Amino acid sequence: MKVVIIGGVAGGATAAARLRRLDEKAQIIILERSGYISYANCGLPYYIGGEITQRSALTLQTPESFWQRFRIEARVRNEVLAIHPAEKRVTVRRLEDQTVYEESYDKLILSPGAKPVRPPLPGIEDQRIFTLRNVEDTFAIHDFIEQSEPRRAVVVGGGFIGLEMAENLTGLGIQTTLVERLPQVMAPLDFDMACSVHAYLREKGVCLRLGESVSGFEPDEKELLVQLEGKEPLPADLVILAIGVAPDTALAREAGLTLGLKGAIVVNSRMQTSDPDIYAVGDAVESTQFVSGTKTLAALAGPANKQGRIAADNLCGRESHYHGVQGSAVLKLFDMTVASTGLNEAAACGAGIAFDKTITFSASHATYYPGASNMTVKTLFSPETGKLLGAQIVGFDGVDKRIDVLAAAVRSGLTGEELTELELAYAPPYSSAKDPVNMAGYVIENIRSGLVRQYHWHDIPSLPRDGSVTLLDVRTQAEYARGHIDGAANIPLDSLRERLQELEPGKPVYVNCHSGLRSYIACRILTQHGFDCYNLSGGYRFYAAVLQEQADYRPAHPCGLPI
């Protein structure tokens, strides 16, 4: 069997290595347009920022190492110009000398990846404007910074690459502005969870221009003016375009393969395209969202690796299937960690999936052990079955391990109540006896059992202020004095039982505290004394963080509800 693989990196290189482990006799050829067959794509911003210091550290495999270990022929700087499915051959151009040749195949695997979106804006060809997708891009940006010593940078786009570049440029002492057309960074997060990320970025010196769009670039000898729609231009010495990627599927289109969402290659669960002898993997393929069942794109290394392995299995006669992408992701942002898995509110609404949500505020480890930090955990679940739909976490220590537990729980179809049964490793330096994951489960259990009812930050503006309901803040007087919900009375929790007569029976009571814990206790007291009580999810600190952002940005509710 002769297998030709177009593209290396995560999907193509994984498929090649798996093929060799399964079939020692197969002839395997990788054709890679760039000069690097397998590299640490996710590590590229950290080389620019100086966290990774050796260029060689970015290269996971070379053509020489591939041949020595696997007897796989990896041809770099060989660009495939066309696929001829009927003849089972490809046309290839050697970029070193521009010679063109034909290569036959028995089976073909496409792993072309995705290409950075580069819209045809005025001035976009200026040499100070970069995209970051491969090793060559990385070295170009790194060398430009060393040679030109830019003082000001503009990063366009608030996704993973944009945020990582903003962090690393700031770390180099470059004054950095991030422009994002949406009212938030990190689209996998809901707006409310992104608010604390915004505050932290500003604290670290990154200038955020949210809800603004770049319309073009005006170059001159000294600086580059980044034009904004309806705003004053931003002066820059360096621009990073990080506004997303698009599936690189021109070859597949010209070969007549079936394409789907945003031009991505349609594959079945065996990673087989509409041509039975052609498989496709990685950023260029259309995937199924594991939780919702909707079609989606996932430019993530983990899914690409899995898909490459599955394609190789099926080529070698092993029944292997890909069951969908969950979208689990984590981002380091200075000292902060941002992570998500499964559906957010917008995705659940778009798929027509009913959901409820909890916001919990937990310490990374036992608070009596030094160094504990808090994390905000948002969990989405089915109100009917309790099945977990997704989770988002923003915090510092321990975020990564909690999102991994929740990702496994979502994949396994666990309910919120079943989170309470997870026996997770505990020692004071690492966790608490009730882990943050357990705590999210306890809250879901309380809600679904009717032990407590909740309201959310976006419900507060619509609460009547005509005296028909009671707004109650059970924090201390000092906390209340520093800021509170308009119209809320203050009765500290520890004196609530003695002051129940101050509350009018028959009126619903909407309670809040700092994080939602004391107000939950207050609701249990009030409910058992006959009051109709509701607890503010996430507490006043979560509401205040969102309120501060809403002063400047007015996002629509993901389900079209009023805010």
Side-chain angles (χ1 to χ4, degrees):
M1 177 172 62
K2 180 180 180 180
V3 182
V4 171
I5 301 173
I6 300 177
V9 199
T14 296
R18 177 68 169 174
L19 275 168
R20 176 56 76 225
R21 291 194 293 269
L22 296 176
D23 187 345
E24 183 64 20
K25 296 181 180 179
Q27 182 184 1
I28 306 169
I29 300 172
I30 303 177
L31 300 171
E32 168 59 45
R33 178 172 49 197
S34 77
Y36 298 86
I37 196 66
S38 179
Y39 54 88
N41 199 308
C42 298
L44 302 181
Y46 302 104
Y47 176 76
I48 295 170
E51 292 294 322
I52 298 172
T53 58
Q54 298 296 322
R55 291 193 175 201
S56 59
L58 298 174
T59 305
L60 304 179
Q61 291 282 358
T62 65
E64 294 75 20
S65 66
F66 246 92
W67 178 258
Q68 290 169 3
R69 177 64 54 86
F70 299 109
R71 295 300 188 266
I72 291 171
E73 186 179 354
R75 304 176 190 169
V76 296
R77 295 190 56 76
N78 274 246
E79 180 182 18
V80 176
L81 302 177
I83 302 168
H84 310 285
E87 296 86 12
K88 298 181 77 168
R89 60 182 175 85
V90 295
T91 302
V92 190
R93 177 168 57 205
R94 295 187 186 90
L95 297 180
E96 295 295 343
D97 57 15
Q98 300 300 307
T99 59
V100 175
Y101 65 95
E102 304 288 311
E103 192 69 57
S104 64
Y105 65 84
D106 297 315
K107 302 290 183 180
L108 182 68
I109 299 178
L110 300 180
S111 180
K115 54 188 177 183
V117 174
R118 197 176 177 99
L121 299 175
I124 201 167
E125 298 305 323
D126 190 276
Q127 298 302 304
R128 291 163 286 189
I129 301 173
F130 297 86
T131 56
L132 178 59
R133 186 62 181 173
N134 55 36
V135 176
E136 286 91 344
D137 295 338
T138 307
F139 293 162
I141 297 170
H142 182 273
D143 293 346
F144 177 85
I145 291 172
E146 280 202 337
Q147 296 164 11
S148 300
E149 298 182 347
R151 295 181 297 108
R152 300 160 300 180
V154 171
V155 176
V156 185
F160 289 95
I161 293 296
L163 289 171
E164 289 170 350
M165 284 304 303
E167 173 194 356
N168 281 282
L169 291 173
T170 300
L172 292 173
I174 300 172
Q175 181 183 334
T176 303
T177 300
L178 189 146
V179 181
E180 169 56 57
R181 66 179 181 83
L182 297 176
Q184 69 170 83
V185 299
M186 281 293 287
L189 296 183
D190 290 316
F191 174 79
D192 51 12
M193 291 293 285
C195 289
S196 57
V197 180
H198 299 162
Y200 181 71
L201 281 168
R202 295 188 185 101
E203 178 186 317
K204 289 296 183 178
V206 178
C207 176
L208 292 184
R209 303 293 293 266
L210 302 175
E212 299 184 11
S213 297
V214 173
S215 58
F217 306 92
E218 185 179 328
D220 64 31
E221 294 180 0
K222 293 185 178 179
E223 63 184 11
L224 185 63
L225 292 178
V226 181
Q227 304 289 342
L228 303 177
E229 292 182 4
K231 304 286 184 177
E232 290 295 315
L234 298 172
D237 307 307
L238 166 67
V239 173
I240 304 293
L241 280 182
I243 55 178
V245 295
D248 192 355
T249 55
L251 284 172
R253 181 184 298 106
E254 292 165 5
L257 301 181
T258 301
L259 304 182
L261 180 67
K262 296 184 179 179
I265 303 168
V266 173
V267 294
N268 60 22
S269 65
R270 300 173 67 242
M271 306 314 298
Q272 196 172 34
T273 72
S274 54
D275 184 314
D277 292 319
I278 302 178
Y279 291 71
V281 302
D283 299 354
V285 305
E286 178 186 81
S287 297
T288 299
Q289 214 292 330
F290 177 78
V291 180
S292 67
T294 58
K295 296 302 180 183
T296 188
L297 303 179
L300 297 168
N305 274 284
K306 294 177 180 68
Q307 292 165 3
R309 180 184 177 92
I310 289 167
D313 281 354
N314 285 289
L315 281 178
C316 294
R318 296 172 62 89
E319 194 69 17
S320 186
H321 296 272
Y322 187 66
H323 298 293
V325 60
Q326 197 170 310
S328 300
V330 64
L331 171 73
K332 172 190 172 296
L333 198 57
F334 299 98
D335 295 321
M336 177 178 273
T337 303
V338 181
S340 64
T341 188
L343 303 182
N344 61 14
E345 288 193 52
C349 294
I353 296 174
F355 67 90
D356 202 349
K357 59 191 175 185
T358 63
I359 309 291
T360 51
F361 196 52
S362 298
S364 57
H365 61 249
T367 53
Y368 60 81
Y369 187 89
S373 60
N374 287 309
M375 64 180 75
T376 303
V377 183
K378 181 173 186 176
T379 313
L380 271 63
F381 62 95
S382 165
E384 181 180 355
T385 66
K387 184 177 178 180
L388 296 171
L389 302 175
Q392 303 158 48
I393 310 180
V394 175
F396 297 88
D397 293 339
V399 168
D400 53 339
K401 83 171 180 178
R402 273 56 181 236
I403 203 68
D404 282 344
V405 173
L406 288 166
V410 170
R411 198 77 180 186
S412 302
L414 298 188
T415 65
E417 290 88 336
E418 287 171 322
L419 292 182
T420 68
E421 300 176 19
L422 294 181
E423 187 175 329
L424 303 174
Y426 160 61
Y430 300 107
S431 185
S432 299
K434 294 178 182 177
D435 188 86
V437 172
N438 298 134
M439 291 304 299
Y442 289 129
V443 175
I444 293 172
E445 181 180 60
N446 286 341
I447 292 167
R448 284 185 26 82
S449 67
L451 200 60
V452 69
R453 287 178 291 177
Q454 60 180 357
Y455 68 111
H456 301 286
W457 63 267
H458 50 75
D459 297 319
I460 292 174
S462 61
L463 292 176
R465 300 301 202 276
D466 59 1
S468 60
V469 303
T470 299
L471 301 182
L472 179 63
D473 190 320
V474 296
R475 295 177 297 159
T476 65
Q477 290 181 348
E479 289 175 290
Y480 178 84
R482 288 194 291 268
H484 56 268
I485 296 171
D486 183 40
N490 179 221
I491 302 178
L493 174 64
D494 292 344
S495 59
L496 179 60
R497 290 180 179 87
E498 290 71 35
R499 297 174 60 180
L500 287 175
Q501 70 279 4
E502 298 178 29
L503 302 176
E504 186 175 337
K507 282 186 181 181
V509 184
Y510 289 82
V511 188
N512 79 270
C513 68
H514 178 69
S515 67
L517 177 57
R518 282 174 288 173
S519 50
Y520 162 64
I521 297 170
C523 266
R524 291 305 305 142
I525 294 170
L526 292 168
T527 298
Q528 293 177 79
H529 282 84
F531 288 91
D532 183 17
C533 191
Y534 298 83
N535 183 28
L536 177 59
S537 177
Y540 180 79
R541 56 103 204 165
F542 194 72
Y543 164 73
V546 178
L547 190 68
Q548 183 175 350
E549 287 295 306
Q550 281 194 302
D552 297 315
Y553 313 110
R554 292 282 178 179
H557 190 282
C559 294
L561 301 175
I563 293 180

